[in-house]
Amino acid sequence: MENLNLYIKSHFSDSIDIKTKILNDNGMISLIKEASLKVINAYKNGNKTLLAGNGGSAADAQHIAGEFVSRFYFDRPGIASIALSTDTSILTAIGNDYGYENLFARQVQAQGVSGDVFIGISTSGNSKNILKALEICKEKGILSIGLTGASGAMNELCDYCIKVPSTCTPRIQEAHILIGHIICAIVEEELFGKGFDCKL
C-alpha cells in the first residue's frame, strides 16, 4: 500500500512539474495571452470558435466549447462555439465518403468563415485530421490556435501553437484543459466583465 501511495503522489508531482514549467516560461504565458486576445477579437466581430480533437482531445474540445456556449465563472449570454466531434451523422458521413483524415477539414470548409478561430488539439501534434483542418484554415482566412505537446507538425501550420513541454499524453492533456480554462476565463471576463471568485 505504501508503494501505491507513492505511485499516486508521483502522478500529482509530474503534473505539477509540467505546469510549473509553463508558469515559469514567459514566452508560453505571452502566447496564451495573445491567443486569448485573438479569440476575444473574433467574438467582438461576431465570429465563432471551432474546436476539434481525437479521443481525450475530442473531450477537451467539447469541454471548452461547452464553457463558451453555456458559462464558465458566471452567468452571461452564450457565445458561439462548435465542437466538431459531436455530430455522429456528420462524422460518419465524412468518414465513410472522404476518409477519417478529412473529418475536421470538411467541417471547417463547410462551417468556418474568415474571422473565425479554429482551436485544434493534438497531444502528438501529428493528427492527420487536425493537420488537414489547419490547411483549410489557411485557405479560408480562419485564425488557428494549436494545443499540442513538445513536438509535432502542427507547429508549422498554426498561427499560434501552444506546446506543452512534455511527451507524456496524460500530462499534456491535463495542461491542455487548464490552458483551455484560462482562455475561457480571459474571454468571459473581457466580454462581460463581471469578475470571478473561485476560492479553494
Side-chain angles (χ1 to χ4, degrees):
M1 181 57 72
E2 181 62 27
N3 287 338
L4 185 55
N5 287 346
L6 291 174
Y7 180 72
I8 292 168
K9 288 182 178 182
S10 74
H11 281 261
F12 279 105
S13 179
D14 290 347
S15 187
I16 290 167
D17 286 346
I18 296 301
K19 294 180 178 76
T20 300
K21 286 181 181 178
I22 297 171
L23 178 64
N24 293 326
D25 185 339
N26 290 331
M28 177 80 89
I29 300 303
S30 293
L31 190 59
I32 295 169
K33 179 185 76 173
E34 289 300 318
S36 301
L37 292 174
K38 292 298 182 181
V39 174
I40 289 165
N41 187 61
Y43 280 129
K44 285 184 174 180
N45 288 326
N47 289 95
K48 63 184 177 294
T49 53
L50 303 166
L51 300 98
N54 298 280
S57 297
D60 287 342
Q62 291 167 215
H63 183 154
I64 296 166
E67 308 288 20
F68 281 138
V69 173
S70 182
R71 54 167 284 169
F72 191 57
Y73 274 117
F74 51 79
D75 291 327
R76 41 76 177 171
I79 46 182
S81 187
I82 303 171
L84 303 181
S85 55
T86 57
D87 190 316
T88 54
S89 294
I90 289 175
L91 295 175
T92 53
I94 296 171
N96 185 66
D97 296 342
Y98 297 101
Y100 192 76
E101 67 274 13
N102 291 299
L103 206 62
F104 302 131
R106 187 76 175 178
Q107 293 186 75
V108 172
Q109 182 272 319
Q111 308 212 59
V113 298
S114 180
D116 286 347
V117 174
F118 173 76
I119 301 175
I121 310 174
S122 169
T123 57
S124 70
N126 293 316
S127 301
K128 289 181 180 179
N129 52 18
I130 296 293
L131 298 179
K132 281 184 170 286
L134 291 168
E135 292 171 357
I136 297 298
C137 288
K138 286 192 177 296
E139 292 176 12
K140 297 199 68 174
I142 296 169
L143 186 132
S144 60
I145 298 169
L147 296 178
T148 186
S151 60
M154 281 174 63
N155 190 50
E156 303 301 318
L157 293 171
C158 294
D159 295 303
Y160 296 88
C161 192
I162 302 171
K163 299 185 290 184
V164 173
S166 176
T167 57
C168 177
T169 296
R171 301 294 84 82
I172 296 167
Q173 289 174 329
E174 290 155 9
H176 280 174
I177 199 59
L178 175 59
I179 293 165
H181 278 168
I182 291 167
I183 292 171
C184 286
I186 292 170
V187 170
E188 187 176 67
E189 177 63 22
E190 176 63 23
L191 293 181
F192 302 102
K194 290 182 64 176
F196 61 86
D197 184 13
C198 188
K199 291 186 169 47
L200 295 175

